[in-house]
Amino acid sequence: MAVNTRIFHCDEFFRLSREEKKEFQSIIQKELEENPIKHLDTEWGRFENLSPMSEEEIDRLAEEVLSEMTLEQKVYQMSCDNDARYAPLNPPRYNFIPYYAGEDLDLNIPAVKFTDGPTGIVMSYHATAFPVSIARGSTWDTELEERVGNVIGIEGRSGGANFFAGVCINLLRHPAWGRAQETYGEDTVLLGKMGAALTKGVQKHMMACVKHYAANSMENARFKVDVEMDERTLREIYLPHFKECVDAGAAAIMSAYNRVRGEWCGHHDYLLNQILNGEWGFKGFVMSDFIWGIRDTVDAANGGQCMEMYATQFFGKRLVDAVRDGKVDEIKIDAAVKRILREKIRFSFVGDKAQYSEEKMGCKEHAELAREVSEKSTILLKNEGLLPLEKDKIKKITVVGRLAVEPNTGDLKGSSAVFPPYVITPLQGILNEAGSGIEIKYADGRIPHQAQELSKDADVVVIIAGLTSLDEGEFITNGGDVGGDRKYLGLHPEDEDLIEAVSKANKNVIVVLQGGSTIIVEPWKNLAKAILIQWYPGMEGGTALANILFGKANPSAKLPITVPATPQQLPYFDMNATSIAYDYYHGYFLADKEKYPVSYPFGFGLSYTNYSYSNPKVTKNGDTITVSVDISNTGKIAGDEVVQLYIGYKGSKVERHVKDLKGFTKIHLEPGEKKTAIIEIDKEDLAYYCPESKQWVVEDIGYVALIGASSACKDLLKADFDLK
Ligand code: BGC
């Protein structure tokens, strides 16, 4: 049997002493030299060159293949090919090449070839690094996100993968979550629409996997925490975005590490069998998160788990034995394997092989898209007439901050780290754009006094401050804890001191924030004339920043999160919790309920032009509710405006949020132009989940359409309607 078809349990390896591991690995090394891992000759094995098929034909072919398979061969489909013993021999870092699962040389069945994301393709050293997902969430631009997905799909296939596990849509309940950067924000509608757009883009070329199902919104405790929540909170807040991606055709769902209501997500009969497969009719397969994503052979197989990644702990031989011992019915195995085979077949005829080549990775065209996304995801939070900078009026700029010269693309040590061919830093971007007519000075800010001195006679000072992969990201404990959940929600104290010091020397201070989550700005926001949030802006972030500063691009991004004034305006969070209750309120729901005076509301973002809204209207046609508003660009330059629709409820029988986001659209307007923004929703979108009847209920009550520029009351126009 070829090396890559053996089934091995990595926990047997984990239990060995360091010396034994070394000895083992030298044997394996030799074995691999003599007997290198073999792969199929073709990309799709027995499914190569199939013509597109109907769903029924795919089903039939999957069943046919299944009927040829032994129990061992079936279980092999459900277990990763990676042998933990090889891990230290893997080149040259995590996921540098795809991880294979279920490549069966005897049956000529192709592997799932895994690459991670979501900032781009994790494989290689020359993939396009896009702005992180929270940045992309700030664009509120599903068409753009689909284009990002398309490029990710092309690069994934070019690098030899066929499976992208980077559609991360966990809800940002609390900004301390270390992996906030990997998701699109705090609202289920925004998460669902952006996740579905990425899924559609990626799936033009390869399978997309949506993660981490479900309620995975804490990092450090992810392997132990049990998340409690009532049924309405689960159904209305934490699940709808997953359903939206399932409806968009996602090939796979990754189960989360954490528990929900006492059960591990990787074994969760209610979440996997009943809701995902049963109620939502999901046809794809479930994959476990990597190592300790399941905890028990029988519970996982019976609970709806289809594939254990990325090394076999509980499936493999143990699952074969469990079937033989009658603890797992073979029907369960057949169902899981059929799901896996179906997706392999379905994706064998997706894409266009002629497009995929090494040169596509991080190519100029893709880098251009990364720049466009960064421009469209940079939020202008504050501007007291300072921006955009006019080149003929500005003679001297001082750039301050250590991040101005850092390639700060996000988590660099976790599973989402993407390694692009180059990164344009903020300072480099500003130098490139300013040209020789403007003198640029730089101070790293470690000595505030020096930064003050260099800032004194500048026309404007640009301070780049924020977070890095040492402050947040995946929690990695190797040789000391780095990343993980955030300990502070503001800037580092030294950065706050720096802003204060520099603002004493110069009144024209622009603060540019980098990071993957909300940063509390209240302590210093009055010291800055302009504030931008650039997030982790990707490989072309410096170019995008310069284009925004000098007005080559007009900001259009809006907050996908609420910026609270104080941590007290946030829900309870404990990074070490073994159990935690998530309730119906977080983000703008909580701010609305408690009437908190937040620093900046969800959905907020300025532009270099101004828009005026008028004439909100609601019309109904069958189950479709159409809300429209007229919008004019009253400024002097063209711009894009994100128009948001919230719904409020009058006299509901049950507890409701003050308002819920239900839809949004982006409108381009030339100076002086007026257009009508139209957002359609379905009657069903007004429903609440009734735990007693287990039904979604649309109440026959009064509703208020609130349409406008942000979630703040003053930015929303109202139109009452009912369902009669
Ligand atoms: C992460 C997943 C990731 C997986 C594989 C895990 O540690 O939680 O998001 O997809 O590793 O890289």
Side-chain angles (χ1 to χ4, degrees):
M1 194 182 270
V3 177
N4 65 333
T5 58
R6 86 176 59 227
I7 294 176
F8 180 79
H9 291 107
C10 69
D11 47 338
E12 286 168 15
F13 174 72
F14 293 157
R15 275 197 288 271
L16 300 178
S17 70
R18 188 188 280 238
E19 285 315 305
E20 285 169 326
K21 275 186 191 147
K22 270 199 184 149
E23 200 185 318
F24 218 90
Q25 275 159 359
S26 70
I27 298 170
I28 289 286
Q29 178 107 48
K30 266 202 212 112
E31 194 181 316
L32 280 175
E33 276 158 20
E34 282 158 22
N35 187 10
I37 293 181
K38 291 201 188 103
H39 290 301
L40 298 182
D41 296 335
T42 57
E43 191 180 6
W44 293 104
R46 63 194 292 157
F47 308 133
E48 189 81 17
N49 296 328
L50 290 181
S51 313
M53 294 169 151
S54 69
E55 290 291 303
E56 293 71 31
E57 286 167 331
I58 295 175
D59 265 344
R60 231 176 294 134
L61 180 56
E63 274 161 23
E64 212 177 284
V65 178
L66 192 65
S67 68
E68 287 173 28
M69 298 170 82
T70 64
L71 176 60
E72 281 80 359
Q73 286 169 330
K74 290 183 211 168
V75 167
Y76 184 66
Q77 286 300 305
M78 300 171 70
S79 316
C80 188
D81 297 5
N82 253 304
D83 188 320
R85 295 169 301 178
Y86 302 164
L89 311 172
N90 271 348
R93 62 167 174 79
Y94 186 76
N95 206 189
F96 179 75
I97 53 172
Y99 293 130
Y100 279 44
E103 180 175 52
D104 192 314
L105 303 184
D106 299 331
L107 293 172
N108 202 15
I109 297 178
V112 159
K113 300 174 193 169
F114 177 105
T115 179
D116 222 316
T119 306
I121 290 293
V122 166
M123 299 178 308
S124 95
Y125 281 120
H126 51 285
T128 303
F130 287 101
V132 292
S133 300
I134 191 113
R136 283 153 31 204
S138 315
T139 68
W140 300 58
D141 189 334
T142 51
E143 182 268 335
L144 185 65
E145 187 62 3
E146 196 168 328
R147 281 164 60 205
V148 169
N150 180 52
V151 163
I152 285 177
I154 292 173
E155 294 199 4
R157 283 293 285 278
S158 298
N162 63 16
F163 184 98
F164 174 70
V167 186
C168 179
I169 54 165
N170 290 113
L171 183 133
L172 185 50
R173 170 183 173 270
H174 190 289
W177 181 34
R179 294 178 73 178
Q181 64 189 273
E182 291 186 51
T183 195
Y184 297 108
E186 71 179 35
D187 184 85
T188 179
V189 169
L190 183 60
L191 285 163
K193 289 193 189 300
M194 296 301 285
L198 183 64
T199 301
K200 283 186 205 150
V202 168
Q203 292 204 157
K204 290 179 182 148
H205 307 279
M206 62 199 291
M207 297 178 240
C209 175
V210 180
K211 67 188 186 184
H212 310 80
Y213 183 72
N216 181 172
S217 298
M218 300 173 55
E219 180 56 15
N220 295 23
R222 63 183 168 163
F223 291 107
K224 63 178 181 189
V225 72
D226 181 14
V227 182
E228 264 309 319
M229 64 178 95
D230 64 32
E231 195 63 15
R232 281 195 62 201
T233 304
L234 178 71
R235 296 291 190 146
E236 296 178 31
I237 315 289
Y238 288 90
L239 292 190
H241 35 290
F242 284 98
K243 171 148 193 315
E244 181 98 13
C245 293
V246 166
D247 291 345
I253 297 279
M254 184 186 287
S255 54
Y257 284 126
N258 52 284
R259 288 178 286 180
V260 169
R261 296 183 185 156
E263 183 61 275
W264 296 109
C265 288
H267 312 172
H268 215 293
D269 177 68
Y270 186 55
L271 288 176
L272 300 179
N273 288 330
Q274 297 186 45
I275 296 181
L276 177 66
N277 297 340
E279 291 179 34
W280 299 351
F282 177 57
K283 289 267 186 62
F285 63 92
V286 177
M287 166 185 286
S288 77
D289 204 342
F290 279 33
I291 310 223
W292 304 114
I294 56 178
R295 308 295 180 114
D296 182 87
T297 307
V298 174
D299 290 352
N302 288 333
Q305 186 60 253
C306 302
M307 185 183 287
E308 183 183 28
M309 288 291 270
Y310 98 117
T312 303
Q313 287 174 278
F314 295 98
F315 279 5
K317 277 186 289 191
R318 289 182 185 147
L319 183 51
V320 172
D321 292 345
V323 176
R324 298 241 155 88
D325 294 346
K327 292 181 184 142
V328 175
D329 194 323
E330 198 164 339
I331 291 173
K332 292 271 181 193
I333 307 294
D334 287 353
V337 177
K338 185 176 165 193
R339 287 171 179 278
I340 296 167
L341 290 173
R342 270 185 52 87
E343 296 309 318
K344 289 181 179 177
I345 298 167
R346 183 156 82 101
F347 280 86
S348 70
F349 41 75
V350 161
D352 167 15
K353 282 189 186 170
Q355 276 199 65
Y356 311 134
S357 67
E358 271 293 303
E359 296 79 68
K360 286 287 168 73
M361 309 276 285
C363 67
K364 195 159 179 290
E365 189 192 338
H366 295 178
E368 278 292 296
L369 180 62
R371 179 202 40 79
E372 181 186 344
V373 176
S374 179
E375 287 168 9
K376 291 182 172 170
S377 59
T378 300
I379 302 176
L380 181 62
L381 268 193
K382 175 176 176 179
N383 187 16
E384 288 176 351
L386 192 55
L387 288 171
L389 304 176
E390 289 175 55
K391 274 193 189 163
D392 49 351
K393 296 203 180 129
I394 300 274
K395 295 280 162 276
K396 291 178 182 176
I397 299 178
T398 300
V399 178
V400 177
R402 67 199 191 290
L403 295 184
V405 292
E406 255 190 50
N408 199 15
T409 51
D411 193 354
L412 288 178
K413 51 43 302 27
S415 61
S416 69
V418 168
F419 297 85
Y422 65 86
V423 175
I424 305 290
T425 62
L427 180 61
Q428 192 56 55
I430 292 169
L431 283 167
N432 292 348
E433 182 55 34
S436 53
I438 301 178
E439 184 191 347
I440 311 279
K441 290 182 188 160
Y442 170 64
D444 68 14
R446 277 175 230 273
I447 308 167
H449 181 66
Q450 184 214 23
Q452 256 180 335
E453 273 307 304
L454 288 182
S455 300
K456 258 188 199 159
D457 65 345
D459 296 309
V460 53
V461 184
V462 182
I463 303 180
I464 317 286
L467 312 174
T468 70
S469 132
L470 299 176
D471 302 301
E472 59 180 346
E474 207 160 335
F475 187 50
I476 309 286
T477 49
N478 273 353
D481 297 348
V482 282
D485 296 319
R486 282 164 66 198
K487 294 173 194 77
Y488 310 102
L489 297 177
L491 285 175
H492 287 276
E494 58 274 21
D495 283 340
E496 294 193 347
D497 293 348
L498 185 64
I499 294 172
E500 195 181 335
V502 170
S503 69
K504 282 190 184 137
N506 194 308
K507 292 291 153 241
N508 289 335
V509 169
I510 301 165
V511 176
V512 179
L513 294 174
Q514 293 192 338
S517 187
T518 318
I519 293 175
I520 289 186
V521 296
E522 213 51 38
W524 51 265
K525 80 171 193 210
N526 293 334
L527 304 176
K529 270 206 179 149
I531 305 174
L532 290 158
I533 303 183
Q534 220 207 351
W535 310 107
Y536 295 118
M539 66 189 281
E540 278 288 344
T543 314
L545 176 63
N547 288 348
I548 295 266
L549 292 174
F550 289 104
K552 270 173 111 178
N554 184 3
S556 58
K558 305 256 184 171
L559 284 168
I561 39 137
T562 304
V563 181
T566 64
Q568 287 68 40
Q569 296 181 350
L570 293 165
Y572 176 74
F573 185 86
D574 169 11
M575 67 168 80
N576 297 312
T578 45
S579 76
I580 193 162
Y582 287 5
D583 68 16
Y584 201 51
Y585 296 93
H586 72 278
Y588 69 91
F589 302 138
L590 186 57
D592 277 353
K593 179 177 180 234
E594 302 294 343
K595 301 194 171 58
Y596 285 143
V598 298
S599 293
Y600 295 100
F602 177 77
F604 175 81
L606 299 169
S607 159
Y608 293 155
T609 188
N610 294 305
Y611 304 101
S612 93
Y613 285 75
S614 60
N615 196 23
K617 264 196 211 143
V618 180
T619 53
K620 288 169 286 169
N621 186 0
D623 284 347
T624 305
I625 298 161
T626 304
V627 185
S628 64
V629 70
D630 295 341
I631 165 167
S632 312
N633 181 347
T634 55
K636 294 197 175 64
I637 57 168
D640 293 332
E641 170 73 334
V642 176
V643 182
Q644 301 152 47
L645 170 66
Y646 299 82
I647 296 289
Y649 315 87
K650 288 191 199 160
S652 173
K653 278 210 300 282
V654 296
E655 188 176 353
R656 290 282 179 113
H657 294 141
V658 172
K659 61 181 182 292
D660 293 287
L661 180 74
K662 292 294 176 191
F664 54 88
T665 185
K666 203 167 187 173
I667 301 275
H668 179 82
L669 291 156
E670 293 296 319
E673 195 180 8
K674 180 176 181 178
K675 281 186 183 160
T676 302
I678 296 171
I679 302 174
E680 278 188 358
I681 58 170
D682 200 272
K683 201 173 135 189
E684 299 296 319
D685 295 333
L686 306 174
Y688 73 90
Y689 188 81
C690 172
E692 291 75 35
S693 65
K694 299 191 171 37
Q695 299 292 326
W696 288 92
V697 176
V698 180
E699 287 181 291
D700 191 8
I701 54 171
Y703 294 93
V704 195
L706 300 140
I707 190 160
S710 90
S711 68
C713 280
K714 65 172 184 40
D715 287 337
L716 292 166
L717 297 180
K718 287 185 188 179
D720 291 332
F721 69 102
D722 57 35
L723 298 178
K724 297 204 177 70

